[in-house]
mmCIF file of all heavy atoms in Angstrom:
data_model
loop_
_atom_site.group_PDB
_atom_site.id
_atom_site.type_symbol
_atom_site.label_atom_id
_atom_site.label_comp_id
_atom_site.label_asym_id
_atom_site.label_seq_id
_atom_site.Cartn_x
_atom_site.Cartn_y
_atom_site.Cartn_z
ATOM 1 N N PHE H 53 55.660 -165.344 -104.676
ATOM 2 C CA PHE H 53 55.528 -165.987 -105.973
ATOM 3 C C PHE H 53 54.466 -165.226 -106.926
ATOM 4 O O PHE H 53 53.406 -165.066 -106.571
ATOM 5 C CB PHE H 53 55.082 -167.454 -105.798
ATOM 6 C CG PHE H 53 54.790 -168.225 -107.048
ATOM 7 C CD1 PHE H 53 55.869 -168.843 -107.692
ATOM 8 C CD2 PHE H 53 53.534 -168.329 -107.616
ATOM 9 C CE1 PHE H 53 55.680 -169.498 -108.955
ATOM 10 C CE2 PHE H 53 53.307 -169.035 -108.811
ATOM 11 C CZ PHE H 53 54.383 -169.563 -109.469
ATOM 12 N N GLY H 54 55.079 -164.983 -108.127
ATOM 13 C CA GLY H 54 54.272 -164.430 -109.132
ATOM 14 C C GLY H 54 53.796 -162.899 -108.953
ATOM 15 O O GLY H 54 52.976 -162.420 -109.747
ATOM 16 N N MET H 158 44.345 -163.288 -107.223
ATOM 17 C CA MET H 158 44.917 -164.117 -106.075
ATOM 18 C C MET H 158 43.889 -164.917 -105.259
ATOM 19 O O MET H 158 44.258 -166.057 -104.953
ATOM 20 C CB MET H 158 45.661 -163.210 -105.161
ATOM 21 C CG MET H 158 46.584 -163.837 -104.112
ATOM 22 S SD MET H 158 47.888 -164.908 -104.782
ATOM 23 C CE MET H 158 48.948 -163.634 -105.433
ATOM 24 N N LEU H 161 43.504 -168.930 -105.352
ATOM 25 C CA LEU H 161 44.689 -169.644 -105.911
ATOM 26 C C LEU H 161 45.525 -170.376 -104.911
ATOM 27 O O LEU H 161 45.913 -169.920 -103.854
ATOM 28 C CB LEU H 161 45.676 -168.716 -106.603
ATOM 29 C CG LEU H 161 45.075 -167.987 -107.877
ATOM 30 C CD1 LEU H 161 46.220 -167.032 -108.412
ATOM 31 C CD2 LEU H 161 44.659 -169.026 -108.945
ATOM 32 N N ASN H 162 45.781 -171.718 -105.120
ATOM 33 C CA ASN H 162 46.646 -172.487 -104.358
ATOM 34 C C ASN H 162 47.989 -172.440 -104.993
ATOM 35 O O ASN H 162 48.400 -173.203 -105.873
ATOM 36 C CB ASN H 162 46.169 -173.993 -104.294
ATOM 37 C CG ASN H 162 47.141 -174.779 -103.534
ATOM 38 O OD1 ASN H 162 48.189 -174.396 -102.989
ATOM 39 N ND2 ASN H 162 46.772 -176.094 -103.389
ATOM 40 N N LEU H 163 48.790 -171.442 -104.512
ATOM 41 C CA LEU H 163 50.124 -171.268 -105.036
ATOM 42 C C LEU H 163 51.170 -172.072 -104.313
ATOM 43 O O LEU H 163 52.409 -172.194 -104.723
ATOM 44 C CB LEU H 163 50.507 -169.810 -105.092
ATOM 45 C CG LEU H 163 49.610 -168.941 -105.951
ATOM 46 C CD1 LEU H 163 50.064 -167.550 -105.948
ATOM 47 C CD2 LEU H 163 49.597 -169.407 -107.393
ATOM 48 N N ALA H 164 50.854 -172.524 -103.182
ATOM 49 C CA ALA H 164 51.857 -173.301 -102.400
ATOM 50 C C ALA H 164 52.275 -174.612 -103.207
ATOM 51 O O ALA H 164 53.453 -174.976 -103.106
ATOM 52 C CB ALA H 164 51.149 -173.841 -101.117
ATOM 53 N N GLU H 165 51.356 -175.181 -103.986
ATOM 54 C CA GLU H 165 51.745 -176.357 -104.799
ATOM 55 C C GLU H 165 52.723 -175.962 -105.919
ATOM 56 O O GLU H 165 53.314 -176.817 -106.435
ATOM 57 C CB GLU H 165 50.414 -176.962 -105.377
ATOM 58 C CG GLU H 165 49.693 -176.073 -106.387
ATOM 59 C CD GLU H 165 48.385 -176.651 -106.864
ATOM 60 O OE1 GLU H 165 48.001 -177.783 -106.350
ATOM 61 O OE2 GLU H 165 47.692 -176.055 -107.658
ATOM 62 N N LYS H 166 52.811 -174.668 -106.182
ATOM 63 C CA LYS H 166 53.775 -174.214 -107.223
ATOM 64 C C LYS H 166 55.182 -174.118 -106.636
ATOM 65 O O LYS H 166 56.138 -174.129 -107.483
ATOM 66 C CB LYS H 166 53.330 -172.877 -107.814
ATOM 67 C CG LYS H 166 51.940 -172.806 -108.344
ATOM 68 C CD LYS H 166 51.767 -173.587 -109.665
ATOM 69 C CE LYS H 166 50.443 -173.381 -110.239
ATOM 70 N NZ LYS H 166 50.217 -174.094 -111.624
ATOM 71 N N VAL H 167 55.291 -173.849 -105.423
ATOM 72 C CA VAL H 167 56.663 -173.508 -104.775
ATOM 73 C C VAL H 167 57.210 -174.603 -103.910
ATOM 74 O O VAL H 167 58.410 -174.513 -103.430
ATOM 75 C CB VAL H 167 56.632 -172.142 -104.174
ATOM 76 C CG1 VAL H 167 56.214 -171.075 -105.097
ATOM 77 C CG2 VAL H 167 55.679 -172.205 -102.879
ATOM 78 N N THR H 168 56.365 -175.599 -103.531
ATOM 79 C CA THR H 168 56.819 -176.548 -102.537
ATOM 80 C C THR H 168 57.872 -177.491 -103.186
ATOM 81 O O THR H 168 57.902 -177.597 -104.385
ATOM 82 C CB THR H 168 55.616 -177.354 -102.024
ATOM 83 O OG1 THR H 168 55.960 -178.276 -101.033
ATOM 84 C CG2 THR H 168 54.999 -178.196 -103.195
ATOM 85 N N PHE H 202 55.117 -175.089 -97.502
ATOM 86 C CA PHE H 202 54.131 -174.282 -98.475
ATOM 87 C C PHE H 202 54.806 -173.200 -99.078
ATOM 88 O O PHE H 202 54.216 -172.414 -99.854
ATOM 89 C CB PHE H 202 53.090 -173.788 -97.577
ATOM 90 C CG PHE H 202 52.201 -174.885 -96.871
ATOM 91 C CD1 PHE H 202 52.311 -174.795 -95.476
ATOM 92 C CD2 PHE H 202 51.514 -175.766 -97.386
ATOM 93 C CE1 PHE H 202 51.577 -175.818 -94.704
ATOM 94 C CE2 PHE H 202 50.761 -176.774 -96.781
ATOM 95 C CZ PHE H 202 50.888 -176.782 -95.396
ATOM 96 N N PRO H 245 52.797 -168.667 -100.465
ATOM 97 C CA PRO H 245 52.099 -167.759 -101.268
ATOM 98 C C PRO H 245 50.598 -168.111 -101.406
ATOM 99 O O PRO H 245 50.274 -169.321 -101.162
ATOM 100 C CB PRO H 245 52.732 -167.606 -102.564
ATOM 101 C CG PRO H 245 53.170 -169.121 -102.788
ATOM 102 C CD PRO H 245 53.572 -169.533 -101.370
ATOM 103 N N GLY H 246 49.814 -167.229 -102.035
ATOM 104 C CA GLY H 246 48.378 -167.600 -102.432
ATOM 105 C C GLY H 246 47.362 -167.559 -101.252
ATOM 106 O O GLY H 246 47.577 -167.103 -100.183
ATOM 107 N N ASP H 247 46.261 -167.975 -101.578
ATOM 108 C CA ASP H 247 45.065 -168.016 -100.760
ATOM 109 C C ASP H 247 45.077 -169.239 -99.889
ATOM 110 O O ASP H 247 45.108 -170.367 -100.277
ATOM 111 C CB ASP H 247 43.826 -168.027 -101.599
ATOM 112 C CG ASP H 247 42.486 -167.985 -100.802
ATOM 113 O OD1 ASP H 247 42.589 -168.064 -99.606
ATOM 114 O OD2 ASP H 247 41.488 -167.618 -101.432
ATOM 115 N N ALA H 250 42.626 -172.095 -100.115
ATOM 116 C CA ALA H 250 42.766 -172.996 -101.305
ATOM 117 C C ALA H 250 43.645 -174.184 -100.967
ATOM 118 O O ALA H 250 43.771 -175.080 -101.853
ATOM 119 C CB ALA H 250 43.168 -172.248 -102.485
ATOM 120 N N VAL H 251 44.460 -174.173 -99.917
ATOM 121 C CA VAL H 251 45.434 -175.226 -99.639
ATOM 122 C C VAL H 251 44.710 -176.317 -98.857
ATOM 123 O O VAL H 251 44.972 -176.606 -97.648
ATOM 124 C CB VAL H 251 46.651 -174.670 -98.814
ATOM 125 C CG1 VAL H 251 47.740 -175.730 -98.824
ATOM 126 C CG2 VAL H 251 47.146 -173.416 -99.560
#
Side-chain angles (χ1 to χ4, degrees):
F53 177 81
M158 188 64 69
L161 291 183
N162 178 0
L163 297 182
E165 63 185 7
K166 304 287 188 182
V167 301
T168 186
F202 302 111
D247 186 343
V251 189

